Amino acid sequence: MNDLLSTVDWSRGQFALTAIVHWLFVPLTIGLSLIVAIMESIYLKTKAERWRRLTKFWMLMFGINFACGVATGIILEFEFGTNWSNYSWFVGDIFGAPLAIEGIAAFFLESTFVAVMFFGWKRVSPRFHLLSTWLTAVGVSLSAYWILVANAWMQYPAGMEFDPAQMRNVMVSFADVALSPVAVNKFFHTVLSGWVLGAVFVTGVSSWFLLRKSNIVFAKDSMKIASWVGLTGIILTMWTGDGSAVEVAKVQPMKLAAMEGLYDGSYGQSLVGFGILDPSKERTDDKDPMMMEISIPKGLSVLAFHDTEAYVPGINDLIEGRMTGPDGNIIETESYTERIEAGKRAQQALRLYDEASAAGDSAAMTAAVTALKADFKYFGYGYLNSPDEAIPPVGLTFYAFRIMVMAGGYLLLYFIVMLFLSYRKPEHLENRWVAFLGLITIPVVWIASEAGWVVAEMGRQPWVIEGMLPTRAAVSAIPASSVQLTFWMFVVVFTGLLAAEISIMCREISKATRRDILADDKH
Amino acid sequence: MAAPTPPTTQADTPRGFFRRVTDLYVGGFREMTVGRRLWAIIIIKLAIMFLVFKLFFFPDKLATEYDNDADRARAVRTSLISDTP
């Protein structure tokens, strides 16, 4: 049992490491592909040579990131098959179909058009080249879509039916899986945050040029485009973030309660703008969960239900079976104790199915399937010893959410300032402090982006599939030591990849500071 | 009167098309500068992933341990119904 728990922990750690590293590359690919496509469009419209050279420089940055990041996500699929075999079998074609589409779309769109982007400047017509650049940008986002559909299904399992004979979920509605509101919101929120990250990267690197008094025109032109993309991106990211909060309130209210450190809900619930959690707080004690807080009155009710007076349940309310109804009032539903009982009944039905199947008793199998379907919604709760096990790690979820939101607020201000300076006071962009601001914003946007994923993934614990399969049941019966070994191997490989990306990028940027990017065509 | 048929160029034929695609890749690879290093990274990375990680450390557990889907389903069912408190 201890070894199993250790396997779970190491497998989770390994998956988190891989996903976090993969996500260092992906949003930059998404953001830079769009910015490059916009720059090339300007070149084709204006026929001004400087826009071609500007495009080519940022395309080089895109290429370095693409080369270092490509296929890092494949390791996640290796981990599914080895470390998470129960899970990868249990999810069935729900997970397989979107990932297969992703693979095909990524291969044909990205691989083909990326080649034209880099090799085709003198070999295809300018219009076809531009089309390829835009199709690369679209392809990058499309492949992200299918991954996000798969992830959204784990948060909100829609469009499927469990088949006990195959022991896997079978898709009954592709549309429900592919167009679930959670998936659509997640896609836009994630891709738009990629725009922001790409824009911060461009303004940050441009700031470096300005700080070094090199390629001033190039840097200022780049900042204009990036500031527009960044401002548009951050406004839309906030808007879709609001949509995500509404979906979380509907389908994962426990995650929302953890994001807020909210134990006892109320009507017209306030939102913690800034706060420090009391680490000694226990679910059942009367202590205030916050050691200090700055709250926005009724903010959480507005955020979650767009209603100042709506009831927002806390962790205790959910465990006791109180949720928000469609009109914003309290409704009584199953308590977590009842869900655990239902989960155990579902598991017992599956046992009976297994026995009936072995005995070839089809009548008993049918009866077991009927019993299983009645309680399958809470199948995963049957693995829990107590309702407390259904609570996500509150501290991590709470602080990660605040880091993401505060960084988002900062980025909104940052792009307003950058856009204003780019058009109205471009000479101030050369100010040392403004350039320094551009540079330090680069890590901020990555931290915000990763923090968003921490909220999404830690906030849904203990589930790997919401309500259906807890993380510890999803793992394979393999020794923890084997996962430990590959964990450290990944640390070495990923560190090497990151070092390669950063060093190649820094070398190219450094080389560019010593020449006039707009005057020569060396890259 | 029917519109005149445009003359067929080499690029319009399938052979011409494939020639141009080949030229795109061959010429592109030949003229690479930073790209050479990037391709080296991609190839080394893919080799480590598929020839080391996948081959030696990440077998598909169910695919390697069981012969057919029915056995795999049974194995998962046994695992899931036994792992309860």
Side-chain angles (χ1 to χ4, degrees):
Chain A
M1 185 67 182
N2 280 340
D3 193 51
L4 177 69
L5 288 178
S6 186
T7 303
V8 174
D9 290 341
W10 278 103
S11 298
R12 286 182 67 196
Q14 188 179 69
F15 200 88
L17 171 75
T18 317
I20 285 171
V21 171
H22 184 53
W23 194 250
L24 292 174
F25 301 108
V26 176
L28 186 57
T29 306
I30 292 172
L32 272 185
S33 62
L34 174 73
I35 291 169
V36 163
I38 292 171
M39 287 174 172
E40 192 179 337
S41 302
I42 296 172
Y43 162 61
L44 206 68
K45 190 171 166 53
T46 61
K47 307 280 187 225
E49 185 59 15
R50 68 191 174 101
W51 280 103
R52 188 178 71 85
R53 289 179 174 161
L54 206 133
T55 304
K56 285 187 83 175
F57 178 80
W58 293 112
M59 204 176 269
L60 174 67
M61 294 294 116
F62 168 86
I64 295 168
N65 181 63
F66 189 82
C68 294
V70 74
T72 47
I74 288 175
I75 294 177
L76 294 170
E77 294 189 38
F78 294 173
E79 290 170 32
F80 285 140
T82 305
N83 303 356
W84 304 99
S85 60
N86 283 349
Y87 159 79
S88 53
W89 185 267
F90 190 82
V91 292
D93 51 4
I94 303 281
F95 218 72
L99 288 185
I101 295 172
E102 188 270 338
I104 294 165
F107 181 79
F108 282 108
L109 271 173
E110 290 175 35
S111 317
T112 311
F113 294 112
V114 164
V116 177
M117 254 174 82
F118 283 96
F119 298 160
W121 281 105
K122 294 173 194 163
R123 294 181 179 85
V124 297
S125 71
R127 280 178 187 279
F128 184 69
H129 192 276
L130 178 64
L131 179 70
S132 301
T133 308
W134 274 107
L135 285 175
T136 299
V138 171
V140 164
S141 294
L142 272 184
S143 25
Y145 182 70
W146 295 110
I147 298 289
L148 294 169
V149 162
N151 180 274
W153 186 83
M154 293 155 72
Q155 319 265 350
Y156 174 56
M160 63 82 202
E161 206 166 82
F162 179 68
D163 176 6
Q166 297 183 59
M167 265 314 280
R168 57 200 325 184
N169 285 283
V170 179
M171 197 181 297
V172 290
S173 168
F174 181 74
D176 284 355
V177 174
L179 301 173
S180 91
V182 176
V184 173
N185 252 296
K186 190 177 268 289
F187 168 71
F188 283 110
H189 191 55
T190 310
V191 167
L192 292 164
S193 74
W195 293 13
V196 179
L197 192 141
V200 168
F201 177 80
V202 172
T203 55
V205 174
S206 301
S207 296
W208 167 254
F209 285 116
L210 295 174
L211 209 54
R212 299 295 301 268
K213 309 285 179 212
S214 158
N215 290 295
I216 306 286
V217 176
F218 159 87
K220 287 181 180 174
D221 279 347
S222 300
M223 282 177 125
K224 278 183 184 170
I225 304 299
S227 297
W228 272 118
V229 170
L231 187 60
T232 309
I234 192 68
I235 290 169
L236 293 175
T237 301
M238 286 177 161
W239 181 48
T240 52
D242 172 69
S244 291
V246 170
E247 291 306 322
V248 167
K250 270 190 214 159
V251 303
Q252 293 176 299
M254 183 61 91
K255 181 194 275 185
L256 183 74
M259 282 157 64
E260 279 302 302
L262 180 66
Y263 286 84
D264 298 297
S266 66
Y267 286 100
Q269 178 64 48
S270 59
L271 176 79
V272 180
F274 177 79
I276 298 173
L277 290 170
D278 183 347
S280 66
K281 165 75 183 168
E282 298 285 337
R283 181 177 76 79
T284 47
D285 66 26
D286 292 331
K287 278 186 188 169
D288 187 340
M290 298 291 162
M291 290 167 71
M292 64 84 63
E293 67 180 294
I294 301 167
S295 294
I296 303 164
K298 301 182 190 292
L300 190 58
S301 291
V302 172
L303 182 77
F305 298 102
H306 294 172
D307 175 352
T308 52
E309 297 305 327
Y311 173 75
V312 183
I315 291 168
N316 287 326
D317 303 298
L318 292 163
I319 284 177
E320 286 157 22
R322 287 187 295 278
M323 286 180 69
T324 312
D327 56 357
N329 288 329
I330 297 177
I331 54 165
E332 295 293 331
T333 178
E334 297 91 344
S335 70
Y336 275 42
T337 305
E338 288 166 332
R339 292 181 188 204
I340 290 171
E341 285 164 8
K344 290 189 189 306
R345 284 198 302 272
Q347 292 180 359
Q348 182 56 24
L350 189 62
R351 272 185 211 99
L352 293 174
Y353 177 88
D354 194 44
E355 288 165 15
S357 169
D361 184 346
S362 55
M365 282 166 71
T366 308
V369 169
T370 307
L372 178 64
K373 279 189 178 168
D375 289 314
F376 189 71
K377 190 175 159 192
Y378 298 127
F379 183 85
Y381 285 86
Y383 292 97
L384 307 182
N385 289 300
S386 78
D388 288 296
E389 289 183 11
I391 304 170
V394 174
L396 189 55
T397 314
F398 175 87
Y399 288 117
F401 181 57
R402 259 134 214 95
I403 288 170
M404 178 186 74
V405 170
M406 282 195 274
Y410 162 75
L411 290 167
L412 177 67
L413 292 176
Y414 172 77
F415 281 117
I416 290 171
V417 170
M418 285 299 177
L419 193 64
F420 174 77
L421 294 181
S422 295
Y423 281 90
R424 294 296 174 92
K425 306 272 181 194
E427 68 280 6
H428 289 343
L429 289 172
E430 295 174 56
N431 177 292
R432 206 179 156 71
W433 291 106
V434 174
F436 187 65
L437 186 73
L439 273 180
I440 59 161
T441 304
I442 294 178
V444 171
V445 73
W446 255 288
I447 291 168
S449 193
E450 298 284 6
W453 276 110
V454 171
V455 175
E457 300 305 299
M458 293 306 291
R460 72 173 156 116
Q461 293 302 317
W463 307 114
V464 67
I465 305 170
E466 184 76 22
M468 225 183 260
L469 195 68
T471 311
R472 70 181 163 94
V475 80
S476 308
I478 52 173
S481 56
S482 68
V483 189
Q484 255 177 298
L485 175 69
T486 48
F487 177 92
W488 292 114
M489 288 165 78
F490 284 171
V491 169
V492 172
V493 171
F494 290 153
T495 307
L497 274 178
L498 278 177
E501 163 148 12
I502 293 167
S503 76
I504 297 172
M505 267 191 185
C506 288
R507 193 176 310 157
E508 291 305 315
I509 292 167
S510 170
K511 271 160 62 181
T513 53
R514 296 192 293 273
R515 65 185 172 87
D516 185 351
I517 298 173
L518 300 183
D520 63 37
D521 203 9
K522 281 184 183 163
H523 43 275
Chain B
M1 197 174 119
T5 312
T8 306
T9 64
Q10 194 189 359
D12 293 332
T13 64
R15 197 174 162 191
F17 173 75
F18 285 114
R19 177 82 185 260
R20 286 170 66 197
V21 171
T22 312
D23 285 349
L24 174 80
Y25 280 92
V26 172
F29 279 113
R30 200 172 282 154
E31 289 166 19
M32 278 191 309
T33 51
V34 184
R36 284 177 207 276
R37 211 176 312 141
L38 297 180
W39 272 105
I41 289 173
I42 292 172
I43 291 165
I44 293 167
K45 180 171 59 176
L46 290 177
I48 293 172
M49 278 182 190
F50 286 97
L51 301 180
V52 180
F53 287 152
K54 181 65 185 162
L55 209 57
F56 297 106
F57 297 100
F58 286 95
D60 187 324
K61 195 172 180 296
L62 293 171
T64 50
E65 290 181 8
Y66 302 95
D67 293 331
N68 54 56
D69 282 356
D71 286 349
R72 288 174 199 124
R74 198 171 301 116
V76 173
R77 189 159 49 237
T78 306
S79 171
L80 290 185
I81 58 183
S82 63
D83 182 31
T84 47

